[in-house]
Amino acid sequence: MTVLTSVLELKNYINGEWRLAASGEISKVLNPANQEVIAHAPRSSKEETEEAIRAARESFESGIWSGKTTHERAAVLNAIAAKIDERAEELTILETMDNGKRKDEAAADVADAATCFRYYAGLILHPEGETYQVPDNVQAIVVKEPVGVAGLIVPWNFPLLMSVWKIAPALAAGNSIVYKPAEVTPVTAMKLFEIMEEVGVPKGVANMVLGRGSIIGQTISESMDVDVVSFTGSTEVGREIMRAAAGNLKKISLELGGKSPNIVFADADFETAVDYGLFGIFLGAGQVCSSGSRILVEESIYDKYVERYVERANKINVGPGLDEGSDVGAIVSEAQMNSILNYIEIGKAEGATLAAGGYRLTENGLDKGFFIKPTVFTDVTNDMRIVREEIFGPVVTIQKFSTEEEAIRLANDTDYGLAGGVFSNDGAKALRVIKKIRAGITWINDYHPTYVEGPWGGYKQSGIGRSLGKYGMEDFQEVKQINTKL
Ligand code: TAP
C-alpha cells in the first residue's frame, strides 16, 4: 500500500478548524529509518494553545458533548473504532514511518487503539454510582461527572496508542480535550483527529495543538482553565508538570519512566525465560516504558542463561520497520540514539562487561537512519548508572542473585516502580515474589502483554494514577454526593 506520495502538511485542529501556526513556523518530521522528511508540522505558540483551551472550555460549558447521553457518546466512540479498523493499514504504515518501530508492532498498536475506543464506549454505559441511607432522614446518592477540560500530553514511543489511552476515556466521560502529541511523532495523531471530525465529534470538543512541549505542554499544565492534565513521558518532565499544575490544583495523572526487573529462577522453563528476556527489552528497540531492562538470573543457571541470551541477541536482525526481515526497528530520533550510545559508553567506563552489541549500525544502508545493535551488559552492580537510570533503548543488564530475598532486594533497589516479571515453575514462589515487587504492572512467566481492562501505571517515581480499565476513566471523572431530605 502506498500511503505517502508527498510530504504531509500537518495542521492544528482548534475549535473545529484545521490551521497552520500563525507564525508560519514548522518543524520537519523525519522517518528515523532513513531520515526522509515525511511531514511538516506547525510549531504553535502559547496563544494558540490558549485558544484551544478556550474552545474546549466553551464547548464543555455548552453541553454539546458533556450533555449528550452516554449512549450518544458511546456511539461516536464506536464509530471512531470502526474508522480506525477501516484505515488500519494506512495508520500502521504511517506509525512505522513516523516512529521507526516494526510494522507488525505498529499494526498491533492500531488494533489496540480501536479496542480501547470500544472498551470505553462499553464502560461508560455500565451502571455506576452508589446510593445509601444516611442519618437525618436523608437519602444519599453518589454520581460521577466529567471533570471539564482535560489536557492530554503524550510521548513518541507509542504515538497513536498512548494518545488513545487518554482520548478514549476522556471523551467517554464527557470531557472536552486539548491534546498535544510529541513533536517528533505527530502524524497518526492528525489522522485520528480527521477521523474524530468525520464521525461527528462536535466542534471545540477535541482540540489538537502541535509543537514543543516546553511551550504547549507547559501552557496546558499551567492553565487555570484546564481541570485535569494527563501526561505520559519522562519522570523529569512529570515533575515539571506537577509543579505547573499546582497553580490551580488541577487533577494530574502521570505515567512516567521505569527500570523494570525481570527475575529468572533456576526452575523456570529455560527457553521461555530467554525468549521473554529478549522480548522484554528489545520490543520497540527498548523504547517501551515497561521494558524489562534489568534481568536478574539465579546463580545456578546464570552462565548458561547469559551464553544463550547473548547468542540469541547477536542474531537479532535490526533494520527498517517496513522491511519484512527486521526483528527490531529504528531508534526514534538522532537525539535519542545519541543518548543511548552515551549510556553504552557510560556502562563501559563504569566497568561493566559488554557482552553483545554496543554500537550504531551503519552497514547495508542503515547509516541513513538511527539503528543500534542490541546491547547486553553483564558484571554490573546496582550502583552503576546503567542499572539505575532509564536508558530507553535496546540495552539490557544481566545480574546474578543467589536467594529469593536477594532477588527481591535487587529488584526493588530502584527509584522506579513501573513493571516487573518473574519466571518460575513454582507457582507459589512466583506469586510470593511478584507480590513483593514494588511495581504496578507485573507478569508471571510472561512479559509485556497489555490488556485494556488492566490498570496501567507505576509506584514510586514511575507516576501517579492509572491508565486503562475503570481506573483510566476515573482520572477524567469527578465524584459528587447528592443528599436529599426525604
Ligand atoms: P518526554 O520528553 O517527557 O516528553 C513527553 C511529552 O511531554 C512530549 O509530548 C513532550 O513534548 C512533552 N513535554 C516536554 N516538556 C514539557 C513540559 N515542560 N511541560 C509539558 N510537556 C512537556 O518523554 P519522551 O522522551 O517523549 O518519552 C519517553 C519517556 O516516556 C520515558 O521516560 C518513558 O518511560 C516514558 N513513558 C512512560 C509510559 C508509561 S505508561 N509509564 C509510556 C510511554 C513512555 P515534545 O517532546 O514535543 O517537546
Side-chain angles (χ1 to χ4, degrees):
M1 183 182 197
T2 309
V3 168
L4 259 193
T5 47
S6 58
V7 173
L8 287 168
E9 300 298 333
L10 306 185
K11 291 184 178 149
N12 290 322
Y13 188 64
I14 301 175
N15 205 16
E17 285 171 15
W18 293 100
R19 297 201 222 151
L20 293 168
S23 66
E25 230 194 304
I26 55 154
S27 65
K28 288 180 179 165
V29 182
L30 302 183
N31 178 343
N34 54 23
Q35 296 192 64
E36 279 171 14
V37 178
I38 56 170
H40 293 141
R43 279 197 146 166
S44 315
S45 63
K46 183 175 170 64
E47 290 68 34
E48 280 155 332
T49 314
E50 286 169 345
E51 216 182 311
I53 295 170
R54 266 197 307 280
R57 171 61 56 200
E58 278 165 24
S59 74
F60 179 73
E61 303 297 346
S62 76
I64 194 169
W65 180 252
S66 53
K68 282 204 187 311
T69 67
T70 51
H71 282 263
E72 288 167 331
R73 293 205 298 264
V76 171
L77 264 62
N78 280 322
I80 297 171
K83 288 278 171 201
I84 291 175
D85 283 344
E86 233 175 83
R87 293 173 66 173
E89 179 70 1
E90 174 199 357
L91 290 168
T92 297
I93 293 173
L94 289 175
E95 192 78 324
T96 306
M97 293 174 87
D98 198 6
N99 166 277
K101 63 176 66 189
R102 234 172 53 194
K103 189 183 165 201
D104 62 338
E105 291 176 12
D109 294 353
V110 172
D112 285 354
T115 303
C116 188
F117 272 109
R118 289 201 175 92
Y119 175 80
Y120 283 107
L123 196 67
I124 198 65
L125 298 179
H126 193 76
E128 60 172 26
E130 298 157 35
T131 175
Y132 47 91
Q133 187 78 43
V134 290
D136 308 326
N137 202 25
V138 166
Q139 181 69 40
I141 58 172
V142 174
V143 295
K144 302 224 176 128
E145 298 180 344
V147 179
V149 174
L152 314 177
I153 304 170
V154 303
W156 44 255
N157 62 342
F158 290 81
L160 180 68
L161 192 58
M162 289 298 113
S163 308
V164 170
W165 282 14
K166 298 183 188 306
I167 293 173
L171 289 183
N175 299 275
S176 290
I177 64 170
V178 179
Y179 158 85
K180 188 208 114 50
E183 194 172 21
V184 292
T185 54
V187 173
T188 45
M190 185 167 128
K191 297 290 157 191
L192 179 61
F193 273 72
E194 283 172 9
I195 287 173
M196 290 199 282
E197 180 182 47
E198 201 181 328
V199 304
V201 173
K203 180 173 158 255
V205 171
N207 303 276
M208 173 177 69
V209 191
L210 303 176
R212 278 167 285 203
S214 53
I215 295 174
I216 298 155
Q218 187 76 19
T219 305
I220 290 172
S221 311
E222 283 172 353
S223 172
M224 300 302 272
D225 248 330
V226 172
D227 304 295
V228 51
V229 62
S230 176
F231 168 80
T232 299
S234 60
T235 296
E236 195 189 339
V237 174
R239 278 198 197 93
E240 280 180 44
I241 290 189
M242 203 164 171
R243 273 192 287 271
N248 72 339
L249 290 177
K250 58 175 66 67
K251 283 168 71 122
I252 51 170
S253 152
L254 305 174
E255 302 287 345
L256 308 177
K259 191 75 184 174
S260 302
N262 193 354
I263 303 172
V264 181
F265 284 99
D267 59 11
D269 181 78
F270 184 78
E271 288 301 330
T272 305
V274 174
D275 281 346
Y276 282 102
L278 293 158
F279 183 66
I281 181 67
F282 298 124
L283 174 78
Q287 303 163 109
V288 177
C289 55
S290 53
S291 285
S293 49
R294 292 185 296 135
I295 302 180
L296 306 172
V297 184
E298 193 163 359
E299 203 167 22
S300 59
I301 59 160
Y302 177 83
D303 290 342
K304 182 176 159 202
Y305 187 92
V306 168
E307 190 186 340
R308 183 85 178 116
Y309 192 96
V310 166
E311 180 196 330
R312 294 271 309 272
N314 282 332
K315 286 189 187 145
I316 291 173
N317 235 325
V318 181
L322 288 176
D323 286 6
E324 291 291 329
S326 301
D327 300 319
V328 169
I331 304 301
V332 73
S333 65
E334 188 167 19
Q336 184 62 15
M337 178 183 70
N338 289 337
S339 160
I340 297 164
L341 292 172
N342 186 44
Y343 268 112
I344 292 171
E345 291 312 310
I346 290 171
K348 289 195 243 169
E350 284 177 317
T353 300
L354 182 62
Y359 51 89
R360 178 180 181 182
L361 287 159
T362 52
E363 282 168 9
N364 305 321
L366 296 189
D367 58 328
K368 295 200 192 85
F370 314 126
F371 296 93
I372 293 182
K373 183 84 180 160
T375 299
V376 182
F377 278 111
T378 56
D379 301 316
V380 296
T381 52
N382 261 32
D383 55 351
M384 291 180 179
R385 286 183 62 191
I386 56 163
V387 176
R388 303 210 72 79
E389 296 176 20
E390 185 184 44
I391 298 174
F392 223 55
V395 180
V396 71
T397 60
I398 310 184
Q399 268 171 288
K400 195 186 292 185
F401 69 84
S402 52
T403 62
E404 192 177 311
E405 291 67 34
E406 190 187 11
I408 293 165
R409 184 178 58 71
L410 288 171
N412 286 334
D413 180 16
T414 168
D415 294 336
Y416 293 108
L418 190 61
V422 170
F423 284 80
S424 167
N425 277 323
D426 177 341
K429 177 167 74 180
L431 187 58
R432 189 165 66 233
V433 172
I434 212 85
K435 285 187 73 180
K436 295 243 170 75
I437 300 302
R438 303 283 301 154
I441 308 152
T442 61
W443 297 276
I444 292 176
N445 295 333
D446 207 346
Y447 206 94
H448 271 327
T450 302
Y451 307 99
V452 69
E453 296 86 350
W456 185 273
Y459 290 16
K460 303 198 272 184
Q461 293 188 32
S462 290
I464 298 174
R466 295 291 180 270
S467 296
L468 298 184
K470 65 180 176 140
Y471 304 92
M473 183 94 96
E474 286 169 2
D475 280 345
F476 300 107
Q477 290 178 313
E478 289 287 10
V479 180
K480 174 183 279 178
Q481 57 165 304
I482 304 173
N483 298 301
T484 307
K485 193 85 167 176
L486 300 175

